Amino acid sequence: MVSSQAQNKTSLAKIVPLLLIGMGLIIMGAVVAYYLVSQSPADEYSVVPSAVNFAAPELVFYDLDGNNVDIADYRQEIVMVNNWATWCPPCKAEMPTLLKYFKAHNQQGFMLFGINAGDPKADVAKFVEEYQLTFPVLLDPNTKALMLFRNDSLPSTYVIDHSGNVILAWTGPINREMLEKYVTPLLEQ
């Protein structure tokens, strides 16, 4: 009869190599993940938009100067609404891309509104200055826009056509390639 001490040594001898292999795979996975992330700029990652079709909700908010802005007043343009927050890393990462796209296409009938989700006005103003945002930034202290779009994820972005219908929706960061692929053709119609 085999002693329990001998059984424990046999079991341990079988488990240790498996543990070492498992740890090795975890370490290799971490190294590969680090390599992939470090090799591609944050601007390269993007979610793909969903094609949707629903009436845009009523979006009326104040800008940083206290002016009342009704997004429906911009129906002559293709409008993009970006819900974001100052504390949101993917929101921060996509802001330079959104700004560059806005500057490149604003004269083609494109309007971008950044709707801040609940941050204090002073924090939003500091963010706008730091990122040198030139598109309209609207304050949404009660996160009404997130509720109206039924999406509490940030960033979340929507494209509204001339008819007032939301036709594209993103949940997550957007890169320039996705904007050019999905939004630019709408400006050329």
Side-chain angles (χ1 to χ4, degrees):
M1 184 174 206
V2 180
S3 74
S4 83
Q5 191 173 28
Q7 279 182 319
N8 287 343
K9 283 184 181 180
T10 304
S11 295
L12 191 58
K14 291 179 183 177
I15 292 174
V16 169
L18 292 175
L19 287 173
L20 291 174
I21 291 170
M23 288 175 33
L25 290 172
I26 290 171
I27 291 169
M28 284 180 23
V31 169
V32 168
Y34 174 78
Y35 175 78
L36 291 175
V37 168
S38 68
Q39 296 303 309
S40 62
D43 188 43
E44 287 187 17
Y45 175 75
S46 179
V47 294
V48 176
S50 298
V52 296
N53 187 12
F54 60 90
E58 184 178 325
L59 301 167
V60 181
F61 299 99
Y62 289 100
D63 66 16
L64 289 169
D65 295 324
N67 300 311
N68 198 24
V69 178
D70 185 345
I71 292 176
D73 292 343
Y74 293 84
R75 288 265 168 82
Q76 71 278 8
E77 301 180 82
I78 296 295
V79 173
M80 178 178 277
V81 173
N82 176 258
N83 294 309
W84 65 281
T86 60
W87 49 264
C88 165
C91 300
K92 292 177 182 181
E94 76 177 358
M95 278 300 163
T97 299
L98 294 175
L99 178 59
K100 287 176 190 171
Y101 188 82
F102 173 74
K103 286 180 176 181
H105 295 284
N106 182 245
Q107 298 302 314
Q108 292 177 267
F110 173 75
M111 178 52 88
L112 169 62
F113 290 97
I115 301 180
N116 177 267
D119 290 318
K121 181 179 176 180
D123 292 352
V124 176
K126 182 180 175 187
F127 186 96
V128 167
E129 184 178 328
E130 181 181 334
Y131 283 80
Q132 300 177 356
L133 302 180
T134 56
F135 54 83
V137 173
L138 308 178
L139 301 170
D140 184 7
N142 300 315
T143 64
K144 178 182 169 186
L146 294 176
M147 289 182 271
L148 290 171
F149 282 111
R150 295 186 179 126
N151 184 354
D152 62 358
S153 296
L154 293 175
S156 58
T157 306
Y158 305 90
V159 174
I160 304 169
D161 69 8
H162 299 293
S163 303
N165 290 317
V166 178
I167 57 172
L168 293 172
W170 278 270
T171 299
I174 304 171
N175 68 16
R176 184 68 180 256
E177 179 185 350
M178 291 296 122
L179 291 168
E180 295 293 350
K181 182 176 180 178
Y182 292 98
V183 181
T184 303
L186 300 171
L187 303 175
E188 297 167 353
Q189 295 178 358

